[in-house]
């Protein structure tokens, strides 16, 4: 087909999440000249059906050999812009996920991408001109072929929009209406709850807090008892007289000099620092993005930011827990009406009009990374924030008293460090040596808990896990069986064998310590419920429990729980009975997590921190009890370098599930591709399922590791091998 003279061409990524569909070429008609550029959201046909896509490149006529169809329209309000497209392309390559999946994160939440507008009356007259109709309804009424013709002939056009139930809806009591006999009990209870909340309340929060069904509210509205109103989303407005705060003077340097910065600030100081950075950026005419690990953190930081916003300025919270209003907040940020956005990891892809600063609180927290199988890009926010700051010329500030080694190792290589403040308080530390015992809870730890409670102190016992450990440790000398190649602990596979989680090396389980030869070997790892029961029995008193899903007896003198909820509060005495579960675990980052746990526990301890371990002289324990992060980092980075682990190498995990010849051929395919890309392949090792195999790819160049994982994965996806499943994880956290 000949190309009309002068028509430009666009390479478009259609937002269909698959590796099997590459970007496609389209002609840009003269009527859209000047409106289509890199980062434009467009409507483009695929098999005759309109789809949303994002323009990756714009080329002169004839550059794209298969550009035979035209772009049908431009969706300016959905366009992410060229900077975000560059970020998304980088993230797609780095994370080995489809580019379309990453680009979808830039679109408004709750977007209905299959909604059409009727531009002219259809031949059968079923839909009125101007009506908004779903693709399903049109296909049901017209059939697939007639729908294609209706699009080509201009009777209907794709008109994506945010669903009505995703907007900021409020329930408002209608004056003078009260419950009648025809009301059901759920309707009456919901109405009374709404009255107790002042007669008006956001619909999403009302239903979530009361547990009521949406149809109960609809019936109340149908009876005229309640009116549903769509209001602008809740934002934090600046005041005429904002409170002056003692902002850190370092924020001026961060904004003036730009680039990436690391600051080891205590957790309690971080909201103030974020507010100071936002205030400084505002004075320079820029917006600020503040990224936090959890929803609770977002609300806490928002309160601090709200105290310092000047009149006419605004801030908003953005996370998946907001039932409605996120799309409107996104639009406010995109158009510059919202000056400060405080959000969880999904906020890193929100388009900004004039982004000047990014602040990441609690940088090493794993909540900053989307887990495998969940929506989002499985990359740490740290890496995305660094890249976005580089692309948009913004400043990036990372806050944590114990930053990740991946970030700390970059000092002097693109990341500048601000001198940390002097500590004003640090608790006494004690290590309980469990060598020579097979006890789960040492007598010294139990006695410390007893004395503290008798003196009226609060005691928090932080258990690192809920399940059981799989690493064998000697109760005599504390030694652990370690893989000589990977430096990782061998874990229990079954009653007779041990296996390395890294390379798949299998050894016989002799039952003897590899160091002292004793037969006193046991697995690490104790459960919160087990610790609670044993402490309650030995102390002869009630012990509370505090985990993410359970809160029981929080007013007890001794409370057992998991790290995140426990370390949200301060305690007079904190006990860590199972640091070995991390310290001697089978993961690369286990030692770093153990150090971070002890350090954070010390931050939340007023008087005494007690740690029990079978390796009491471990460098991570000693450095954490002294609050010496640089000493820990030097030792741990040296160990990582010697074994070739992050941050000195990049990893990718490949898990293949299948049976017989297809599985064997797929494994061989990945091995061949890793050799072609000059990436080391470790394994294959037994995977998590009996019919699966696991490969670990390791290399010093991230793009090679990602390509060695992504290219064979994409090829296998296109072939659709029956009975074969492939999962790719870049920078796996569980290794």
């Amino acid at each position: 087909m000949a190309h009309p003279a002068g028509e430009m061409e666009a390479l478009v990524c259609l937002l269909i999440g698959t590796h099997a569909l590459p970007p496609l070429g389209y002609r840009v008609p003269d009527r859209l000249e000047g409106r289509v550029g890199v980062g434009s959201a467009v409507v483009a046909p695929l098999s005759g059906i309109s789809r949303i896509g994002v323009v990756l490149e714009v080329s002169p006529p004839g550059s794209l050999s298969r550009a035979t169809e035209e772009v049908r329209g431009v969706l300016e309000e959905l366009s992410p812009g060229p900077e975000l497209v560059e970020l998304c392309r980088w993230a797609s390559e780095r994370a080995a996920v489809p580019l379309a999946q990453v680009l979808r994160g830039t679109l408004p939440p709750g977007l209905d991408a299959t909604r059409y507008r009727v531009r002219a009356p259809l031949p059968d007259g079923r839909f009125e001109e101007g009506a908004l109709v779903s693709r399903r309804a049109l296909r049901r009424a017209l059939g697939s072929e007639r729908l294609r013709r209706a699009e080509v002939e201009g009777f209907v056009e794709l008109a994506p929009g945010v669903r009505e139930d995703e907007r900021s809806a409020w329930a408002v009591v209608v004056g003078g209406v009260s419950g009648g006999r025809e009301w059901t009990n759920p309707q009456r209870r919901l109405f009374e709850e709404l009255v107790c909340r002042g007669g008006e309340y956001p619909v999403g929060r009302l239903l979530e807090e009361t547990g009521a069904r949406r149809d109960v509210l609809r019936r109340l509205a149908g009876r005229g008892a309640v009116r549903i109103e769509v209001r602008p989303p809740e934002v934090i407005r600046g005041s005429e007289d904002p409170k002056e705060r003692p902002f850190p003077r370092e924020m001026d340097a961060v904004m003036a000099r730009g680039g990436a910065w690391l600051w080891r600030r205590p957790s309690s100081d971080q909201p103030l620092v974020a507010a100071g950075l936002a205030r400084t950026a505002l004075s320079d005419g820029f917006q600020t993005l503040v990224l936090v690990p959890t929803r609770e953190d977002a609300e806490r930081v928002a309160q601090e930011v709200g105290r310092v916003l000047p009149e006419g300025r605004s801030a908003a919270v953005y996370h998946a827990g907001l039932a409605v209003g996120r799309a409107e907040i996104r639009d406010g940020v995109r158009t510059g009406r919202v000056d400060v956005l405080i959000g969880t990891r999904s906020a890193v892809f929100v388009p900004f009009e004039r982004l000047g600063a990014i602040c990441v609180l609690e940088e090493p927290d794993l909540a900053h990374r989307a887990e495998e199988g969940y929506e989002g890009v499985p990359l740490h926010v740290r890496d995305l924030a660094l890249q976005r700051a580089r692309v948009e010329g913004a400043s990036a500030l990372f806050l944590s008293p114990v930053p990740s080694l991946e970030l700390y190792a970059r000092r002097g290589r693109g990341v500048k460090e601000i001198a940390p403040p002097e500590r004003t308080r640090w608790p006494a530390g004690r290590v309980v040596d469990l060598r020579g015992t097979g006890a789960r809870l040492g007598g010294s730890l139990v006695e410390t808990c007893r004395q503290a409670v008798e003196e009226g102190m609060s005691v928090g016992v932080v258990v690192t896990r809920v399940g059981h450990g799989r690493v064998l440790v000697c109760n005599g000398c504390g030694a652990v069986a370690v893989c000589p190649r990977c430096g990782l602990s061998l874990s229990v596979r079954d009653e007779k064998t041990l296996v390395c989680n890294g390379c798949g090396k299998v050894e016989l389980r002799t039952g003897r310590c590899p160091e002292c030869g004793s037969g006193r070997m046991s697995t690490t790892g104790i459960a919160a419920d087990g610790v609670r029961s044993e402490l309650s029995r030995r102390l002869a008193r009630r012990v509370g429990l505090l985990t993410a899903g359970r809160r029981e007896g929080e007013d007890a003198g001794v409370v057992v729980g998991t790290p995140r909820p426990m370390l949200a509060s301060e305690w007079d005495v904190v006990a860590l009975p199972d640091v070995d579960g991390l310290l001697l675990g089978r993961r690369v980052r286990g030692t770093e997590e153990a150090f971070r746990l002890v350090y954070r526990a010390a931050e939340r301890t007023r008087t005494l921190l007690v740690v029990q371990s079978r390796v009491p002289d471990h460098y991570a324990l000693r450095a954490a009890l002294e609050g010496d992060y640089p000493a820990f980092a030097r030792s741990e980075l040296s160990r990582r370098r010697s074994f070739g682990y992050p941050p000195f190498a990049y990893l990718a995990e490949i898990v293949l599930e299948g049976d017989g010849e297809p599985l064997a051929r797929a494994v061989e395919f990945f091995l061949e591709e890793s050799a072609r890309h000059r990436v080391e392949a470790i394994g294959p090792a037994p995977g998590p399922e009996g019919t699966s195999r696991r490969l670990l790819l390791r290399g010093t160049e991230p793009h090679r590791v990602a390509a060695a994982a992504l290219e064979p994965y994409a090829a296998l996806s296109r072939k659709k091998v029956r009975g074969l499943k492939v999962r790719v994880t870049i920078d796996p956290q569980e290794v």
Side-chain angles (χ1 to χ4, degrees):
M1 179 177 179
H3 293 257
E7 280 194 353
M8 300 294 288
E9 297 175 350
L11 186 67
V12 178
C13 176
L14 298 180
L15 301 191
I16 301 172
T18 172
H19 282 296
L21 181 67
L24 303 175
Y26 292 90
R27 291 184 291 110
V28 180
D30 291 339
R31 61 185 175 82
L32 298 180
E33 183 180 355
R35 297 179 59 196
V36 175
V38 175
S40 297
V42 296
V43 177
L46 179 66
S47 300
I49 299 297
S50 293
R51 304 281 186 175
I52 299 177
V54 175
V55 176
L56 306 180
E57 300 173 16
V58 176
S59 307
S63 300
L64 304 175
S65 60
R66 296 191 178 184
T68 59
E69 295 192 89
E70 285 188 348
V71 172
R72 289 178 173 172
V74 180
L75 305 168
E76 293 177 355
E77 69 280 3
L78 302 183
S79 298
E83 293 86 2
L84 271 186
V85 166
E86 184 177 344
L87 173 68
C88 290
R89 296 186 78 164
W90 176 89
S92 171
E93 294 172 2
R94 186 69 176 270
V97 296
L99 177 57
Q101 176 181 326
V102 186
L103 285 168
R104 280 206 302 266
T106 69
L107 299 181
L111 180 71
D112 184 352
T114 63
R115 193 180 70 175
Y116 283 77
R117 178 181 291 107
V118 178
R119 298 183 60 191
L122 295 174
D124 56 7
R126 294 194 188 188
F127 303 105
E128 296 180 358
E129 184 176 350
L132 295 173
V133 188
S134 70
R135 178 180 290 154
R136 178 179 296 179
L138 284 172
R139 184 177 285 127
R140 189 165 48 241
L142 304 176
S144 298
E145 188 56 38
R146 289 182 64 196
L147 173 57
R148 290 191 185 94
R149 288 204 304 270
E151 287 196 62
V152 171
E153 294 168 5
F155 285 96
V156 297
E157 66 177 357
L158 190 67
V162 177
R163 293 190 297 269
E164 189 69 26
D165 59 358
E166 295 287 345
R167 301 176 68 190
S168 300
W170 282 63
V172 181
V173 170
V174 177
V177 177
S178 60
R181 291 184 178 181
E182 69 277 9
W183 284 24
T184 64
N185 287 333
Q187 292 171 5
R188 188 171 289 106
R189 286 195 297 269
L190 182 59
F191 184 82
E192 291 171 355
E193 289 284 355
L194 181 56
V195 171
C196 290
R197 286 166 169 76
E200 57 181 31
Y201 210 66
V203 168
R205 290 170 58 186
L206 176 67
L207 298 179
E208 182 180 0
E209 293 172 9
T210 62
R213 298 194 310 273
R214 189 173 291 272
D215 65 314
V216 175
L217 181 61
R218 289 197 187 101
R219 290 191 177 93
L220 284 175
R223 295 184 185 280
V226 172
R227 182 176 67 253
I228 307 299
E229 296 180 356
V230 175
R231 299 180 179 179
E234 293 183 272
V235 296
I236 303 162
R237 301 289 181 185
S239 62
E240 295 181 6
D241 185 25
K243 294 182 179 179
E244 291 297 328
R245 309 285 288 177
F247 295 123
R249 64 181 182 277
E250 289 85 352
M251 298 304 91
D252 292 328
V254 170
M255 285 302 302
R257 294 168 58 189
W261 299 76
L262 163 65
W263 202 2
R264 289 187 281 124
R265 293 287 299 218
S267 303
S268 57
D269 293 351
Q270 293 181 30
L272 174 64
V273 174
L277 181 63
R279 180 71 177 265
T280 305
L282 275 174
S283 65
D284 293 339
F286 291 108
Q287 295 168 288
T288 300
L289 170 61
V290 181
L291 295 165
V292 296
T294 67
R295 303 170 186 177
E296 294 75 19
D297 294 324
E299 302 293 343
R300 182 164 52 91
V301 174
Q303 292 178 5
E304 189 68 47
V305 171
R307 294 189 183 101
V308 303
L309 281 177
E311 185 178 11
R313 301 296 190 173
S314 63
V317 171
Y318 188 93
H319 55 71
L322 299 175
V324 293
R326 282 199 298 160
E328 293 158 284
I329 291 171
R330 172 199 175 275
D331 188 63
V333 174
R334 182 184 66 85
T335 56
R337 301 193 311 273
V338 174
D339 300 288
V340 185
L341 185 66
I342 304 118
T344 50
R345 59 179 180 261
S346 61
V348 77
F349 289 109
V350 171
F352 278 70
E353 183 186 56
R354 53 184 193 283
L355 180 63
I358 303 174
C359 186
V360 180
L361 276 63
E362 297 299 346
E363 173 267 329
D365 198 308
L366 288 182
H368 276 308
R369 174 190 166 106
E371 297 181 20
E372 191 68 29
Y374 287 81
E375 182 182 356
V377 181
L379 287 177
H380 199 284
V381 155
R382 166 190 64 246
D383 301 313
L384 293 166
L386 280 168
Q387 184 68 8
R388 182 163 191 183
R390 185 193 67 78
V391 169
E392 301 205 30
S395 299
L397 176 63
F398 300 89
L399 302 174
S400 175
V402 282
S404 67
L405 292 175
E406 282 83 354
L407 183 65
Y408 189 74
R410 298 188 191 187
R411 293 175 309 139
R413 297 186 296 111
V415 175
K416 299 177 281 288
E417 184 177 15
I418 302 173
E422 294 185 6
R423 280 201 312 268
T424 58
R425 187 192 73 181
W426 202 251
R430 181 190 305 165
V431 179
V432 177
D433 189 350
L434 285 185
R435 289 177 297 184
T437 77
R440 179 163 55 180
L441 297 178
S444 176
L445 183 144
V446 175
E447 189 58 31
T448 298
C449 293
R450 187 191 312 279
Q451 292 177 5
V453 173
E454 290 175 354
E455 294 174 12
M457 295 183 176
S458 59
V459 179
V461 182
V462 182
V463 180
T464 59
R465 58 187 297 139
V466 179
H468 298 284
R470 303 295 296 170
V471 175
L472 283 178
V473 61
C474 177
N475 292 319
C477 69
V480 179
V482 175
C483 175
R485 179 181 181 185
C486 299
L488 302 178
S489 303
L490 297 174
S491 58
V492 177
R493 181 181 184 183
D494 51 43
E495 294 183 357
K496 295 182 179 180
T497 57
L498 304 174
V499 64
C500 174
N501 192 47
C503 65
K505 176 181 174 62
V506 177
E507 289 190 358
L508 291 177
R509 181 176 175 179
T510 64
R512 293 286 175 181
C513 173
E515 297 293 333
C516 68
S518 75
R520 303 172 62 190
M521 304 291 288
S522 63
T523 57
T524 63
I526 50 181
D529 281 322
V531 173
R532 181 192 188 191
S533 299
E534 185 169 342
L535 273 177
S536 180
R537 176 179 58 81
R538 293 173 67 174
L539 295 175
R541 65 171 59 243
R542 182 173 65 104
V543 173
L545 181 68
L546 182 57
T547 67
R550 297 170 63 188
R551 308 178 76 95
E552 301 172 8
E554 295 177 67
D555 59 339
V558 179
V559 178
V560 176
T562 48
R564 189 180 291 278
M566 289 291 291
L567 299 182
S569 305
E570 287 193 345
W571 307 83
D572 295 315
V573 176
V574 172
L576 300 175
D578 188 34
V579 172
D580 288 354
L582 294 172
L583 203 59
L584 305 178
R586 53 182 178 167
R587 295 190 294 141
V588 171
R589 294 176 174 86
T591 302
E592 183 179 357
E593 292 178 19
F595 172 86
R596 188 172 295 123
L597 174 65
V598 178
Y599 191 104
R600 297 301 302 275
E603 278 193 315
R604 310 305 273 170
T605 304
R606 301 188 188 96
T607 306
L608 176 64
L609 174 62
V610 183
V611 181
Q612 65 175 22
S613 173
R614 292 179 175 84
V615 284
D617 296 322
H618 197 288
Y619 63 86
L621 285 186
R622 292 302 177 185
L625 290 173
E626 295 171 5
D628 193 345
Y629 177 84
F632 161 73
R634 285 192 297 271
S635 298
E636 180 63 9
L637 286 172
S638 176
R639 184 184 76 88
R640 297 267 192 98
R641 187 190 296 274
S642 66
F643 284 103
Y645 284 123
F648 305 104
Y650 299 90
L651 303 178
E653 183 185 45
I654 317 294
V655 176
L656 303 104
E657 295 182 27
D659 200 7
E661 185 180 353
L663 177 61
R665 289 171 59 187
V667 170
E668 187 63 28
F669 187 28
F670 272 99
L671 291 173
E672 292 172 356
E673 287 295 298
S674 62
R676 186 172 70 85
H677 287 282
R678 299 195 297 277
V679 169
E680 179 186 9
I682 303 173
E689 304 294 335
T691 58
S692 66
R693 293 294 180 268
R694 176 180 172 278
L695 282 168
L696 192 65
L697 307 185
R698 176 165 59 184
T700 57
E701 299 178 76
H703 66 279
R704 291 189 182 277
V705 174
L710 177 59
E711 290 179 12
Y713 172 60
L716 289 171
S717 297
R718 288 192 294 268
K719 292 179 181 178
K720 297 181 180 179
V721 181
R722 184 182 298 275
L724 180 68
K725 295 181 180 179
V726 183
R727 187 177 75 245
V728 175
T729 306
I730 301 296
D731 187 28
Q733 301 296 303
E734 296 301 317
V735 171

